[in-house]
């Protein structure tokens, strides 16, 4: 059994399961999770921050599911459901980003000196002025919830079928796909870490790989759950912190420069604290990059490469930095996806 979006196991999903049956079950469960998380994010003001985060994760996992099984869906249906998930994910992503900023500001303000409190108050107001409309944008992305989403889910699940003979098993279908995803991820990781935007791409590719592996984990050996999935979870934690600090430092710089242009007489009142915060975030980014380099060294090490080989025997794995991973099928960019 593999896991559903709440961490529970999905019963009766095995290596030998016909791919259309697996697709129908996984897509139904992942869209159901989006529907439930969406309801909580829209309607429950208590624990909203946690609900927003859960919805963002659920949309990513649902997108991974419809991408894995895109060959089981008509092109029109795949485009429709993926586009709807993307709209929700982008709307909830903005809300989530402001939630992270507000949480950090609240924690820092509690320990602030009296001289810094006016700056924290200003930044808190700025963040709230963006967070409130972000919630409205999420509501606009789902104007007919829950009935419209229920109809989309029903259309998608009903359209799942394998249109060629013979129908492959989940295991035989997923192995070359996972190989391509691993190859694409390795290719991004090897492009270097000097560009913060590149590290964000690595982070997103790692998420897609992790969420795809969750669907088919019972088609592979124990190395997947014991080594690869935890490694990808650690990558998300490391690069998630880098991404948060990158976004925060960029936002603070925009505020400092914008105030200097628009209200130069006021800017100096707040500049000192914001400049210090920018320096702190840049230091966290540098520290996170070092953590990423350590992670990548472990990922490229012989133990992890043997785990990759156990998961995908088709891969010509590498030990070391410069030896390429080759897959006996060409990389399909659509399988990796291009949206965050």
């Amino acid at each position: 059994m593999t896991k559903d979006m709440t961490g529970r196991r999905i019963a009766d999903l095995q290596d030998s399961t016909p791919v259309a049956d697996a697709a129908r079950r996984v897509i139904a469960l992942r869209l159901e999770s989006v529907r439930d998380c969406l309801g909580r994010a829209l309607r429950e003001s208590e624990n909203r921050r946690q609900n927003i985060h859960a919805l963002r994760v659920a949309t990513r996992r649902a997108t991974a599911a419809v991408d894995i099984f895109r060959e089981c869906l008509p092109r029109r249906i795949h485009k429709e459901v993926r586009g709807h998930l993307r709209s929700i994910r982008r709307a909830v992503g903005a809300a989530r980003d402001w939630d992270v900023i507000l949480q950090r500001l609240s924690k820092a303000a509690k320990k602030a000196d009296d001289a810094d409190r006016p700056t924290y108050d200003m930044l808190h107001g700025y963040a709230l002025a963006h967070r409130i409309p972000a919630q409205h944008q999420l509501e606009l992305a789902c104007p007919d919830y829950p009935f419209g989403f229920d109809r989309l889910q029903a259309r998608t699940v009903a359209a799942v079928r394998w249109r060629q003979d013979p129908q492959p098993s989940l295991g035989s279908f997923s192995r070359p796909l996972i190989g391509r995803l691993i190859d694409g991820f390795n290719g991004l990781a090897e492009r270097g870490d000097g560009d913060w935007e590149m590290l964000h791409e690595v982070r997103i590719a790692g998420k897609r790989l992790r969420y795809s592996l969750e669907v088919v984990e019972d088609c592979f050996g124990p190395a997947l759950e014991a080594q690869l999935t935890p490694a990808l979870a650690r990558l998300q934690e490391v690069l998630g912190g880098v991404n948060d600090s990158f976004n925060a430092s960029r936002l603070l710089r925009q505020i400092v420069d914008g105030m200097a242009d628009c209200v130069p007489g006021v800017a100096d009142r707040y500049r000192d604290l914001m400049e210090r915060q920018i320096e702190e975030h840049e230091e966290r980014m540098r520290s996170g990059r070092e953590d990423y380099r350590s992670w990548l060294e472990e990922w490229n090490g012989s133990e992890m490469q043997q785990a990759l080989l156990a998961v995908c025997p088709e891969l010509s794995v590498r030990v070391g930095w410069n030896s390429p991973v080759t897959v006996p099928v060409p990389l399909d960019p659509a399988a990796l996806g291009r949206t965050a």
Side-chain angles (χ1 to χ4, degrees):
M1 297 182 292
T2 191
K3 293 179 181 179
D4 71 4
M5 293 310 92
T6 61
R8 297 188 302 266
R9 291 284 181 169
I10 301 176
D12 303 324
L13 202 60
Q14 302 171 353
D15 185 287
S16 59
T17 302
V19 66
D21 292 346
R24 198 172 293 111
R25 188 170 186 80
V26 172
I27 290 174
L29 286 170
R30 289 200 163 179
L31 291 180
E32 181 180 341
S33 178
V34 173
R35 182 198 63 195
D36 293 345
C37 290
L38 185 55
R40 289 190 290 271
L42 291 174
R43 295 173 175 170
E44 298 180 11
S45 57
E46 188 176 359
N47 298 321
R48 175 157 282 166
R49 182 169 52 84
Q50 293 89 335
N51 293 334
I52 288 289
H53 176 63
L55 175 58
R56 193 180 199 181
V57 173
T59 58
R60 289 189 184 281
R61 283 172 160 151
T63 299
V66 297
D67 282 349
I68 288 170
F69 297 115
R70 65 186 302 159
E71 292 183 49
C72 298
L73 290 169
R75 183 176 300 177
R76 175 181 60 82
I77 294 292
H78 178 264
K79 182 178 180 180
E80 179 187 16
V81 67
R82 200 179 195 284
H84 195 67
L85 290 170
R86 181 174 61 248
S87 297
I88 296 173
R89 186 176 68 250
R90 287 179 175 175
V92 78
R96 170 62 177 167
D97 290 344
W98 288 112
D99 281 344
V100 170
I101 291 171
L102 283 166
Q103 183 183 29
R104 286 190 170 185
L105 287 172
S106 296
K107 288 183 178 180
K110 291 178 181 178
K111 306 175 184 178
D113 296 333
D114 289 342
D116 289 334
R117 291 191 182 279
T119 304
Y120 279 114
D121 289 341
M122 182 274 294
L123 291 173
H124 198 91
Y126 185 96
L128 279 175
H130 289 80
R131 176 60 180 89
I132 293 169
Q135 185 70 22
H136 181 57
Q137 289 300 314
L138 177 58
E139 295 168 358
L140 291 178
C142 315
D144 53 352
Y145 180 86
F147 305 110
F149 196 90
D150 286 344
R151 290 192 295 269
L152 175 65
Q153 180 179 351
R155 285 197 304 274
T156 303
V157 174
V160 172
R161 60 179 53 86
W162 188 259
R163 291 166 175 78
Q164 304 173 19
D165 289 324
Q167 179 176 185
S169 68
L170 176 62
S172 62
F173 172 82
S174 63
R175 287 187 183 92
L177 172 62
I178 294 302
R180 291 194 293 269
L181 287 170
I182 292 173
D183 190 35
F185 171 77
N186 283 336
L188 281 173
E190 287 188 353
R191 287 168 63 180
D193 57 20
D195 187 338
W196 300 115
E197 297 285 358
M198 174 57 62
L199 288 182
H200 177 64
E201 289 188 36
V202 172
R203 172 173 165 262
I204 295 302
K207 284 187 176 185
R208 291 196 184 98
L209 177 57
R210 178 187 174 189
Y211 297 152
S212 298
L213 288 171
E214 287 177 348
V215 174
V216 297
E217 64 180 11
D218 291 310
C219 301
F220 300 93
L224 192 156
E225 189 170 5
Q227 293 175 276
L228 297 187
T229 300
L232 291 170
R234 290 197 303 274
L235 173 70
Q236 289 184 32
E237 183 178 353
V238 168
L239 292 186
V242 172
N243 187 65
D244 288 345
S245 284
F246 174 74
N247 289 334
S249 64
R250 183 169 56 179
L251 173 64
L252 288 166
R253 178 56 61 194
Q254 289 173 352
I255 295 174
V256 169
D257 293 345
M259 293 180 72
D261 288 340
C262 298
V263 282
V266 176
D268 289 342
R269 185 187 309 171
Y270 305 113
R271 182 186 301 276
D272 180 64
L273 174 61
M274 288 192 286
E275 292 287 359
R276 282 187 277 126
Q277 289 189 332
I278 290 171
E279 292 177 4
E280 290 173 3
H281 283 299
E282 289 177 346
E283 177 57 34
R284 292 192 190 105
M285 290 160 60
R286 289 188 290 269
S287 176
R289 181 162 54 191
E290 292 302 316
D291 291 340
Y292 169 69
R293 289 172 177 172
S294 297
W295 179 92
L296 190 59
E297 183 177 352
E298 180 182 342
W299 179 262
N300 287 327
S302 59
E303 183 177 351
M304 194 64 67
Q305 294 300 305
Q306 291 303 313
L308 285 169
L309 183 61
V311 169
C312 285
E314 298 90 350
L315 290 171
S316 296
V317 299
R318 62 216 167 93
V319 177
W321 178 265
N322 293 317
S323 303
V325 175
T326 57
V327 182
V329 286
L331 176 63
D332 178 7
L336 184 61
R338 295 300 179 203
T339 60

